[in-house]
Amino acid sequence: HNTTISNMVLYGQIIIGAPGAGKTTYCDGMQQYLKLLGRECYVVNLDPANEIPPSSNDDGDGDDDNGVTTANENKLQGAEEGEEEIDTSNANTNTQLPYTTILDVCQDIISLDSVMSELNLGPNGGLLYCMEYIEHHLGEVLKLLKERLGINNTNNSSSSSSSN
């Protein structure tokens, strides 16, 4: 199993749809199916609204999420200060998802709940902010994904010369 991913042909699927359409069920089923065939399957969750429910010590009013979104709040503050920093921890523990992810945007980059509480936005404005944040930091998202896949990116000259 010493073959590097960069030497292999990779295939992918992009699954989109309305809430409740079955995207999570499909991804779970596809991951199980591919594992049964003996194939490696990596799932990337790019839905900032598909996140862990509030912790049990939350009072339920939705106003105070202290301790739940600390990492995401720090990422938002960094974005406001012009820093482009993405959390690179490998802990993908979104217990709401029935499948294993190699990258979960809610855990690793930005989540809708933290955006809504930090910036006082509603769900639609929060989703727009999250999507624009992901788009603006796409280079870091791809770098994080490549790190997790074990892909060495030595010719990174095009992204290293960007400035704000």
Side-chain angles (χ1 to χ4, degrees):
H1 187 293
N2 204 4
T3 306
T4 62
I5 293 179
S6 61
N7 295 335
M8 298 170 37
V9 176
L10 300 176
Y11 296 95
Q13 298 179 19
I14 298 174
I15 314 303
I16 59 173
K23 300 177 297 294
T24 298
T25 303
Y26 177 81
C27 290
D28 182 34
M30 183 56 70
Q31 187 176 59
Q32 289 179 33
Y33 175 70
L34 290 171
K35 284 182 179 180
L36 283 173
L37 293 178
R39 292 213 164 150
E40 289 186 324
C41 177
Y42 302 105
V43 179
V44 177
N45 176 32
L46 291 176
D47 183 357
N50 196 1
E51 53 197 335
I52 300 172
S55 66
S56 59
N57 63 358
D58 186 10
D59 59 4
D61 65 2
D63 295 333
D64 186 13
D65 290 336
N66 288 334
V68 177
T69 58
T70 305
N72 290 320
E73 289 168 1
N74 290 337
K75 290 173 210 153
L76 287 174
Q77 290 168 358
E80 291 170 1
E81 297 166 6
E83 299 174 9
E84 295 183 2
E85 190 169 317
I86 300 292
D87 183 7
T88 58
S89 67
N90 281 327
N92 293 329
T93 57
N94 188 339
T95 58
Q96 188 174 359
L97 298 175
Y99 50 81
T100 305
T101 60
I102 193 163
L103 187 139
D104 182 359
V105 72
C106 298
Q107 296 294 309
D108 303 317
I109 299 161
I110 193 167
S111 71
L112 179 60
D113 279 348
S114 64
V115 167
M116 288 172 53
S117 66
E118 286 293 306
L119 302 178
N120 296 320
L121 294 172
N124 293 335
L127 278 171
L128 280 173
Y129 182 91
C130 289
M131 292 299 134
E132 289 175 358
Y133 184 91
I134 293 167
E135 178 186 24
H136 180 47
H137 294 90
L138 190 57
E140 291 88 41
V141 173
L142 292 174
K143 179 182 174 190
L144 178 59
L145 184 58
K146 286 178 181 180
E147 286 174 6
R148 299 235 175 124
L149 289 170
I151 298 173
N152 295 332
N153 192 11
T154 54
N155 19 342
N156 198 10
S157 60
S158 62
S159 64
S160 64
S161 63
S162 65
S163 64
N164 289 344

